[in-house]
Amino acid sequence: MAEKKPSILNRLRNMTDTNLLLTITIVMFFLMYIGAIVFQGKGFLKPQTFFNILNANAALIILSVGLSIVMISGSIDISVGGVTALVCMSCAVHLDYKGGNVFTAFLLALGIGIAFGFIQGILIAYLDIQPFIVTLAGMFFARGMTTIVNTNPFNVENPALVALKDTRIPVPFLGSYNKLGEYINAYVEIGALVAVAVVLILFFVLRWTRLGRNFYALGGNRQSALMLGINVKRTKFYAHLLCGFLSGIGGFVYFLHVGSGAPTHAAGAEMNAIAASIIGGTLLTGGVGNVIGTFFGVLSLSTIQNIVNSAGLDDAWWTGITIAAMLCLFLVIQSLVLSRKKKK
Amino acid sequence: MSENVVLELKNIRKRFGPVQALKGVNFKLCEGEIHALMGENGAGKSTLIKVLTGVYTKDEGSIHMKGYDGDIAIHSPQEAQDAGISTVYQEITLCPNLSVAENMYIGRGKEIIQNWKKMNDNANKILESLDIPTSATTQLANCSIAVQQMVAIARAVDMDCKVLILDEPTSSLDDQEVAKLFKLMRDLKARGVGIIFVTHFLDQVYEVCDKITVLRDGVQEGEYKTEELPRLQLVSKMLGKEIDDLSDIKNDEAIMQDTNEENVIETNQLTSTSGISPLDFYIKKGEVNGFTGLLGSGRSECVRAIFGADKVVGGTIKKNGKLVKINKPIDAMKAGIAYLPEDRKVDGIIGDLSVRENIILALQVLEGFWKPFTRAEADDFAEKYIKLLGIKTASADTPIKSLSGGNQQKCIVARWLLTHPEYLILDEPTRGIDVGTKVDIQKLVLKLASEGMSITFISSETDEMLRTCSRLIVMRDRKVVGELTGSDLTQNKIMSVIAGGDK
Amino acid sequence: MKKNSFISKIAGNRILIPIVALLILAVFNFIADPSFFKITLGYNNLGNPVLSGYLITILDYGSELAILALGMTLVTAASGGQDISVGAAIAIAGSAMLRVLCGADGRAETLQTPIIVAFLIAVVIAMAFGAFNGILVAYFKIQPMIATLILFTAGRSIAAWINNNQLPIVNDQGFTVFGGFIPGIPIPTPFFIAAACVVVIMLVLKFTNLGLYTQAVGINESSSRLNGLNPEFIKFITFVILGICVAVAALIKVSRLSTINYSVIAKDIEMDAILAVALGGNSLSGGKFNMWASVLGAYVIQFLTTTLYKFNVQSDALPAYKAIVVIILVIISAPTVREWMGNMWTRMNEKKDAKEAKVNG
């Protein structure tokens, strides 16, 4: 049945699309990181640089994971950035003006996320409205609501939150010595831990639960999924609900990282999240993808941005252009890889 | 005998709007039997299968399964599966992005956590026992179509199905793959599964089936043992023509057309991506010929290749003796070829546009982007053809989708007549339309031919073709298997060529 | 049967939707504050007569939207999706225009090139970006909204990059005419530009087959192909045409300020343009369109915006209200909802019939 000597090429061919694209993503990330070390000097050698990337992108990782799930099910959600801004502003107002505590703020964040996921899910799954239109409206609604909640950006002064924001969790053995020769522990923020946990949990959900596999089936071929006895409407609804829920968590993690509310928060996050998902090997057409890939997708994006910045192109506009270019590149890679596989 | 019956349908009726698709169908399937379900277009075959699989809900009648008391209700594919009825469709209804094992098990069972090891082990066991050449962890997209088909069957088998419906599973398989599939079917038969086999390939019916049920016009024409029903009989029953009492109506005028006129269109070894055998074809000025053969025999694919509707991959086309290059439909249109497609809804009408716009579309495209007709011109064209063809519409402004099927078809005919083609291809112009319109269209074909147009006419109804065509090209299994002219143009002759010559 | 006539009645009168919306808004404003409709004639700082008032604002700002709605309608009709990068593309075209007008340093006292040259260059650039979107959509078969999301994100950055992130200022009074007033004429110029664009597009629709082709492709791609059309090229060309509209809108936008703010110019305008199309009763999934209805829709959207402004809604909060309008519109036009409404209608009629039958029996 099998060839006697399965060459690497053959093994690549027989890989599932998901694993193939995941492999490409991880390899690309390490090449990029090594490239950064070689060209940008030793800064990238310090583990803390890596942790900083993780800290800064914790929220984006969570948002992207949610988006990946929606994309795997063959849909899309571009409201995640708007929801993040709304969550930040609502939590900020809740804490500083309404005298709430951090726990209720967290519940508020979840509530907002779930509400968006729920309504968008109903409209998309049960009323069959194009997901893009629905979530575009969702994005504008969230951004508009953010200003309605509070117009001016402000920093939160709630002591409990500030304490949480500044919590640094040391990572043993990976510290470095500063110029004075003192040992400084490497650290991560709470958000980074949450992000890693979310990735692991959802990796498990997608891989080992019935719901997770149904997402893949739905994205692979809606008609087939129906014929195979899957409740496609409910599955699609769950995908959007889950994405909304994760936007809530992601929004709160973002809030924890910046400790402020502003209408411009997480501007363009939807694009970054889509880009990260695609770079991470999620197919735009659905059915293929992996949250581990998405995790590396976010890190790749951020690394590239770091490289661009430290190359002296630190003007803000380079970020947008870089991401768009990366996205284009990976869309092309995807179609090339998959079409070559088809031919064989 | 009767306890052997695993599935029995009694008096199934189903209606769609004004169309009564099933007019009281009875059907019986025994354990361990392969039962062919035969019928031409519109016989109700696919409706019946959809009723059985829960895609449609029947209006009347009852479905009995062994082990269940009384009528069982089937409202969704899920319920059909639960009752033990599994279906494998022509188009693979599996998910290409999942592994073979997942495709066999997804959508079943209620456990929340998936045990991959157990699933893969089970899948491998079944694949092995059915001798299917793939492994559980392979991604489905990496398997050949035949293997995908078999995986779908394996899924059905593992679901412990009592009744397996195979809806044209062989149409995209090559001979070897078909042989494998048949082996699998015989294995299942030995296990006591009742198999309903729908196909258009007569050879295959006679190779594997025990019984044949013929449907015609929404009723069961009869149930026969395969060995007791010669091919010719089968074809005649499907077409609804008794072999002996056929009075052969002929198109006398057309027969006289056997002159030495030049070939208007001539193809040489033409092949397209649809997989037809290389086609050599010609048509003379003023000739009406036709492609005949059962559904799926490649009739449409031939004319689509000539029109450039499918991508042409080999061969040449000559027009009036000169080579023409036809890559896209527009090339064919410029060469004076017009094509009325088989599927009116998908390929013909542009639903939301008005009757007028639908009529002028082809000519307008030929005229070019920069030369739109004025409203007055367009109205003239539309009015002229509405009158000429007797299209019943409230006005030329009515959206075409609100017309009846026959009138929609007339609009499409008008669209192509307006381009004044030298060669007109009509692919099933009479399908699904009322009798009056059918006659109108046939008359029109003869009239146009007498005016010098060359026409290829394709119809599932042989007598229509006998009435209109002076030469019939007979197809089977995507190959041209015969050509009939003159006194050979009889139902009997056609049927015997379709059936493959042996009686 | 009844259901059919009910639906066709709604579908048959597309232009009714914007008119009804307009009436509702007008009545609402009339009740809330009749001064909304007041128009006054005054003089601007150059001594030219100008009309002012909320209605004039609507006429003024609704015009740039109407211009975009023209292109957006075509894109929607042919591709069944929308271009969400128009705001970003306006930034690019405007930036390019300023770069050409003001030269490399952006502080030139006089115009470096004639306005017409700068405008034409902007047109070419906007068309090129439209072509980029069009290629992704038509030939790479990426959904329009995802494809244009790329430019949506990168566009404003590209715009900033064109001028090295500087904000060039045009010092020439002549340039302000396009977004302001023509000396001696009290009606805002954008209205005339929009009118000209509408006339041009109507002439194009009349003297070419653009309308027929885009609708045919949008309704039934397969059938269009068999009628000799090239669906890919037609989709592509609609994006290029939208590019031209973007350049014209950019001219107005930049002329208003005589400069540019990359992150704010034409912000959220994609939402308004899509809304204009939807409000015009055109199906967002493609097919038949009514250009007049879209244009009217654009002014109705601006009417809504101006009304919201008048009630002290902040500009950043506007999208929230408009999003609600979009959602209501798409829910009303969703096939499932329509079917459901149709069924309700039939059932109601059946009940009525049954009752009548009872009475008669």
Side-chain angles (χ1 to χ4, degrees):
Chain A
M1 243 166 51
E3 299 90 351
K4 275 171 197 162
K5 270 188 198 166
S7 67
I8 294 178
L9 210 73
N10 268 326
R11 229 188 263 170
L12 274 180
R13 266 186 201 155
N14 290 331
M15 255 181 167
T16 58
D17 294 344
T18 299
N19 289 346
L20 180 68
L21 289 173
L22 177 65
T23 313
I24 292 177
T25 305
I26 295 179
V27 169
M28 285 286 269
F29 170 70
F30 281 106
L31 285 182
M32 216 176 272
Y33 207 85
I34 291 168
I37 292 171
V38 173
F39 293 109
Q40 300 302 326
K42 296 202 181 101
F44 279 92
L45 260 180
K46 276 194 212 158
Q48 188 56 47
T49 310
F50 176 78
F51 290 129
N52 282 342
I53 291 178
L54 201 58
N55 289 338
N57 290 289
L60 184 59
I61 289 170
I62 299 171
L63 296 180
S64 305
V65 165
L67 198 71
S68 294
I69 291 169
V70 173
M71 282 168 72
I72 286 169
S73 343
S75 190
I76 191 89
D77 184 344
I78 57 167
S79 70
V80 291
V83 173
T84 300
L86 180 58
V87 164
C88 288
M89 188 59 96
S90 305
C91 288
V93 169
H94 178 71
L95 286 177
D96 271 18
Y97 296 164
K98 308 275 184 218
N101 64 39
V102 174
F103 181 67
T104 49
F106 180 63
L107 291 185
L108 180 69
L110 287 189
I112 292 172
I114 290 174
F116 269 84
F118 184 83
I119 294 171
Q120 292 180 157
I122 294 268
L123 293 178
I124 292 164
Y126 291 100
L127 294 187
D128 251 340
I129 304 174
Q130 290 178 33
F132 216 108
I133 290 281
V134 171
T135 55
L136 183 75
M139 165 174 122
F140 279 102
F141 181 76
R143 291 258 173 228
M145 274 310 284
T146 309
T147 10
I148 293 174
V149 171
N150 193 26
T151 315
N152 300 317
F154 67 98
N155 287 323
V156 176
E157 279 152 17
N158 181 303
L161 186 94
V162 173
L164 271 183
K165 174 176 180 288
D166 293 338
T167 305
R168 293 181 167 190
I169 297 155
V171 182
F173 313 124
L174 289 174
S176 54
Y177 293 92
N178 67 5
K179 278 176 193 155
L180 301 173
E182 290 165 15
Y183 180 79
I184 298 173
N185 246 330
Y187 69 91
V188 289
E189 290 175 8
I190 296 175
L193 290 186
V194 175
V196 171
V198 162
V199 169
L200 291 179
I201 291 171
L202 282 162
F203 174 70
F204 176 83
V205 167
L206 286 180
R207 183 97 178 92
W208 276 289
T209 66
R210 200 153 59 92
L211 181 68
R213 300 319 294 175
N214 286 356
F215 287 150
Y216 282 93
L218 175 62
N221 186 328
R222 187 175 195 275
Q223 197 57 36
S224 294
L226 185 70
M227 288 298 193
L228 291 174
I230 293 168
N231 187 335
V232 293
K233 287 188 175 174
R234 198 170 59 200
T235 307
K236 190 172 248 184
F237 171 70
Y238 282 152
H240 280 278
L241 189 62
L242 196 52
C243 181
F245 174 72
L246 288 174
S247 320
I249 296 184
F252 193 76
V253 167
Y254 192 97
F255 179 56
L256 216 51
H257 183 69
V258 295
S260 64
T264 52
H265 271 351
E270 52 282 334
M271 182 64 181
N272 289 350
I274 290 175
S277 292
I278 289 176
I279 292 169
T282 310
L283 275 195
L284 207 48
T285 43
V288 174
N290 190 313
V291 289
I292 300 287
T294 306
F295 177 75
F296 281 103
V298 175
L299 296 184
S300 301
L301 258 189
S302 175
T303 309
I304 262 282
Q305 282 173 33
N306 270 322
I307 295 174
V308 168
N309 287 354
S310 44
L313 303 166
D314 54 349
D315 297 292
W317 69 74
W318 279 105
T319 314
I321 294 177
T322 319
I323 293 173
M326 284 271 283
L327 185 58
C328 265
L329 179 74
F330 270 81
L331 279 175
V332 171
I333 289 183
Q334 278 188 3
S335 60
L336 281 183
V337 166
L338 292 181
S339 70
R340 262 186 73 173
K341 246 176 86 109
K342 292 258 157 55
K343 269 183 204 160
K344 61 171 172 178
Chain B
M1 183 68 197
S2 75
E3 55 263 32
N4 243 342
V5 174
V6 62
L7 171 76
E8 186 168 8
L9 308 181
K10 285 183 185 158
N11 195 30
I12 303 290
R13 286 169 177 275
K14 176 75 191 171
R15 118 186 246 120
F16 299 101
V19 183
Q20 185 81 45
L22 298 178
K23 305 168 185 163
V25 175
N26 298 311
F27 180 76
K28 217 183 260 182
L29 180 72
C30 295
E31 280 178 0
E33 138 184 305
I34 302 180
H35 197 136
L37 186 63
M38 307 290 291
E40 272 296 86
N41 251 328
K45 226 173 16 181
S46 54
T47 313
L48 184 67
I49 285 175
K50 284 183 176 156
V51 166
L52 256 181
T53 51
V55 178
Y56 298 150
T57 314
K58 61 184 188 294
D59 296 340
E60 265 179 65
S62 56
I63 302 175
H64 301 273
M65 283 278 294
K66 192 180 183 183
Y68 291 85
D69 286 333
D71 180 31
I72 52 165
I74 300 176
H75 301 293
S76 69
Q78 184 75 58
E79 286 180 13
Q81 285 182 12
D82 292 345
I85 302 175
S86 291
T87 314
V88 175
Y89 294 93
Q90 176 183 4
E91 313 87 46
I92 308 284
T93 49
L94 298 176
C95 294
N97 57 327
L98 301 183
S99 75
V100 167
E102 283 199 273
N103 269 299
M104 289 168 62
Y105 287 97
I106 203 161
R108 306 161 51 186
K110 296 282 169 237
E111 72 283 1
I112 290 175
I113 304 295
Q114 181 149 304
N115 185 338
W116 284 83
K117 187 162 169 5
K118 197 173 132 215
M119 184 176 83
N120 286 338
D121 287 350
N122 285 344
N124 272 331
K125 238 178 260 165
I126 296 160
L127 293 173
E128 212 165 295
S129 78
L130 295 176
D131 209 8
I132 299 173
T134 184
S135 70
T137 50
T138 313
Q139 190 181 339
L140 191 78
N142 292 345
C143 300
S144 69
I145 300 285
V147 170
Q148 295 190 22
Q149 202 79 262
M150 290 179 191
V151 171
I153 295 175
R155 174 183 164 98
V157 170
D158 187 57
M159 289 170 76
D160 204 21
C161 70
K162 308 281 186 313
V163 175
L164 177 63
I165 303 172
L166 299 175
D167 189 0
E168 295 191 44
T170 53
S171 34
S172 44
L173 304 186
D174 64 29
D175 294 346
Q176 275 186 332
E177 292 173 324
V178 170
K180 280 184 202 155
L181 183 69
F182 284 176
K183 184 175 168 296
L184 181 54
M185 283 166 68
R186 291 198 186 98
D187 283 356
L188 295 178
K189 178 180 151 183
R191 296 179 182 206
V193 177
I195 300 176
I196 302 176
F197 183 42
V198 180
T199 183
H200 290 114
F201 299 104
L202 292 185
D203 290 345
Q204 299 180 356
V205 171
Y206 283 92
E207 197 179 332
V208 288
C209 294
D210 304 310
K211 281 190 197 150
I212 299 172
T213 288
V214 178
L215 287 187
R216 201 177 64 236
D217 294 337
V219 290
Q220 186 198 31
E221 203 275 341
E223 186 196 293
Y224 310 91
K225 288 219 166 78
T226 309
E227 61 270 20
E228 291 166 9
L229 184 73
R231 287 179 183 218
L232 199 50
Q233 288 270 349
L234 171 61
V235 175
S236 93
K237 293 204 186 309
M238 285 168 66
L239 299 175
K241 297 283 179 296
E242 283 307 320
I243 299 176
D244 299 323
D245 64 32
L246 283 172
S247 50
D248 290 328
I249 327 147
K250 281 205 208 91
N251 166 13
D252 295 331
E253 277 175 72
I255 287 169
M256 295 193 307
Q257 295 278 346
D258 199 20
T259 56
N260 290 326
E261 292 265 14
E262 200 187 347
N263 290 344
V264 173
I265 294 288
E266 189 180 344
T267 75
N268 184 15
Q269 296 289 303
L270 190 68
T271 50
S272 77
T273 46
S274 65
I276 42 163
S277 304
L279 173 73
D280 287 321
F281 168 87
Y282 69 89
I283 188 164
K284 292 182 184 302
K285 189 169 161 61
E287 183 188 350
V288 182
N289 65 10
F291 285 88
T292 184
L294 296 175
L295 191 73
S297 59
R299 309 177 298 209
S300 302
E301 286 77 2
C302 286
V303 288
R304 284 179 70 90
I306 297 172
F307 190 67
D310 293 329
K311 197 170 179 331
V312 173
V313 288
T316 55
I317 301 178
K318 274 185 193 165
K319 157 108 188 295
N320 294 331
K322 265 183 268 166
L323 271 181
V324 284
K325 231 178 142 43
I326 295 181
N327 292 324
K328 300 190 292 290
I330 186 77
D331 302 333
M333 287 161 66
K334 282 183 181 150
I337 304 176
Y339 169 60
L340 181 136
E342 182 183 14
D343 192 329
R344 185 179 63 234
K345 278 221 177 75
V346 175
D347 292 332
I349 62 167
I350 301 201
D352 290 319
L353 290 187
S354 67
V355 169
R356 176 182 44 246
E357 287 164 314
N358 267 286
I359 289 178
I360 63 161
L361 184 61
L363 184 61
Q364 183 68 84
V365 172
L366 270 176
E367 283 286 304
F369 182 76
W370 301 103
K371 291 179 190 153
F373 297 125
T374 61
R375 180 61 180 257
E377 282 172 325
D379 273 333
D380 280 352
F381 287 136
E383 291 304 331
K384 182 177 156 204
Y385 279 90
I386 288 174
K387 208 180 279 170
L388 190 72
L389 300 182
I391 300 170
K392 290 190 191 71
T393 171
S395 78
D397 269 325
T398 316
I400 194 168
K401 65 179 177 190
S402 57
L403 268 57
S404 73
N407 283 307
Q408 289 182 4
Q409 195 66 289
K410 281 182 177 176
C411 291
I412 309 300
V413 173
R415 173 193 292 170
W416 291 113
L417 290 185
L418 190 58
T419 64
H420 297 292
E422 282 175 71
Y423 175 40
L424 174 64
I425 304 166
L426 300 172
D427 191 356
E428 294 270 11
T430 56
R431 182 199 286 183
I433 63 180
D434 56 297
V435 182
T437 313
K438 284 183 184 182
V439 175
D440 288 352
I441 289 180
Q442 292 166 45
K443 279 187 196 153
L444 182 72
V445 166
L446 292 178
K447 180 169 158 272
L448 291 169
S450 70
E451 290 163 12
M453 197 182 286
S454 310
I455 297 171
T456 292
F457 184 88
I458 297 175
S459 170
S460 298
E461 297 179 39
T462 328
D463 53 341
E464 282 183 3
M465 302 194 58
L466 287 173
R467 237 173 275 146
T468 46
C469 302
S470 60
R471 182 161 58 97
L472 284 181
I473 296 148
V474 187
M475 301 210 52
R476 183 176 359 108
D477 300 356
R478 302 204 183 89
K479 277 199 248 341
V480 174
V481 291
E483 195 174 303
L484 303 171
T485 49
S487 56
D488 281 345
L489 283 174
T490 63
Q491 286 277 6
N492 291 1
K493 197 78 192 174
I494 294 173
M495 285 192 269
S496 73
V497 179
I498 291 178
D502 54 341
K503 241 193 171 179
Chain C
M1 293 289 170
K2 267 167 194 161
K3 183 179 131 191
N4 257 341
S5 68
F6 175 67
I7 285 173
S8 62
K9 232 183 246 170
I10 294 180
N13 297 312
R14 284 158 199 273
I15 202 145
L16 264 186
I17 300 176
I19 291 177
V20 168
L22 187 63
L23 284 179
I24 293 174
L25 279 171
V27 168
F28 172 78
N29 273 305
F30 190 77
I31 295 169
D33 183 5
S35 74
F36 186 86
F37 296 96
K38 215 170 86 183
I39 296 174
T40 48
L41 183 65
Y43 292 89
N44 65 5
N45 47 10
L46 296 174
N48 290 321
V50 293
L51 289 173
S52 61
Y54 287 112
L55 288 184
I56 298 300
T57 312
I58 293 168
L59 210 57
D60 193 355
Y61 286 83
S63 293
E64 54 198 42
L65 206 51
I67 294 166
L68 286 179
L70 297 174
M72 192 66 91
T73 308
L74 288 176
V75 164
T76 302
S79 69
Q82 288 75 38
D83 182 344
I84 61 167
S85 70
V86 286
I90 284 178
I92 295 175
S95 182
M97 211 178 297
L98 287 182
R99 164 91 199 209
V100 176
L101 283 176
C102 302
D105 65 350
R107 285 286 174 274
E109 284 300 313
T110 52
L111 293 183
Q112 302 292 303
T113 34
I115 294 170
I116 181 72
V117 174
F119 173 65
L120 287 179
I121 288 172
V123 168
V124 170
I125 288 173
M127 282 167 76
F129 279 100
F132 171 75
N133 285 334
I135 287 170
L136 289 180
V137 172
Y139 296 99
F140 287 85
K141 314 251 180 260
I142 301 176
Q143 301 150 5
M145 288 191 162
I146 301 274
T148 53
L149 189 63
I150 295 176
L151 196 56
F152 172 80
T153 314
R156 291 178 191 279
S157 302
I158 295 172
W161 170 73
I162 289 174
N163 272 310
N164 274 325
N165 216 8
Q166 287 169 343
L167 305 176
I169 296 167
V170 181
N171 290 317
D172 192 290
Q173 282 299 338
F175 189 64
T176 60
V177 164
F178 302 101
F181 293 86
I182 300 168
I185 298 174
I187 296 169
T189 323
F191 177 72
F192 296 109
I193 299 178
C197 287
V198 171
V199 167
V200 167
I201 206 96
M202 290 301 167
L203 287 178
V204 167
L205 287 178
K206 192 164 167 55
F207 290 106
T208 72
N209 285 311
L210 187 67
L212 183 65
Y213 286 10
T214 47
Q215 296 186 54
V217 168
I219 296 167
N220 190 336
E221 194 171 329
S222 149
S223 181
S224 305
R225 209 174 69 82
L226 286 180
N227 278 295
L229 293 176
N230 182 345
E232 285 82 26
F233 183 72
I234 290 164
K235 284 187 199 171
F236 168 78
I237 210 75
T238 57
F239 278 91
V240 177
I241 293 174
L242 179 57
I244 302 175
C245 299
V246 161
V248 177
L251 173 70
I252 298 175
K253 279 277 179 203
V254 177
S255 162
R256 283 191 203 287
L257 298 174
S258 287
T259 180
I260 190 168
N261 182 334
Y262 303 113
S263 57
V264 175
I265 183 173
K267 192 159 175 283
D268 300 340
I269 205 165
E270 48 279 342
M271 187 70 170
D272 285 354
I274 295 171
L275 248 178
V277 176
L279 202 56
N282 301 303
S283 160
L284 288 184
S285 40
K288 265 196 100 69
F289 66 84
N290 182 335
M291 201 55 96
W292 288 112
S294 290
V295 172
L296 190 56
Y299 285 103
V300 175
I301 293 301
Q302 191 56 47
F303 206 123
L304 174 69
T305 310
T306 311
T307 308
L308 289 172
Y309 270 130
K310 181 170 176 292
F311 288 93
N312 289 324
V313 174
Q314 287 201 336
S315 67
D316 285 339
L318 285 176
Y321 297 92
K322 290 181 188 164
I324 293 173
V325 178
V326 171
I327 288 296
I328 291 173
L329 277 173
V330 290
I331 289 178
I332 292 174
S333 58
T336 2
V337 177
R338 284 204 161 187
E339 199 175 297
W340 183 76
M341 288 195 321
N343 285 342
M344 288 283 286
W345 185 257
T346 336
R347 219 171 294 155
M348 267 162 55
N349 277 329
E350 269 169 12
K351 266 188 195 163
K352 220 165 67 185
D353 289 352
K355 256 185 201 166
E356 277 164 17
K358 249 185 202 168
V359 172
N360 294 336

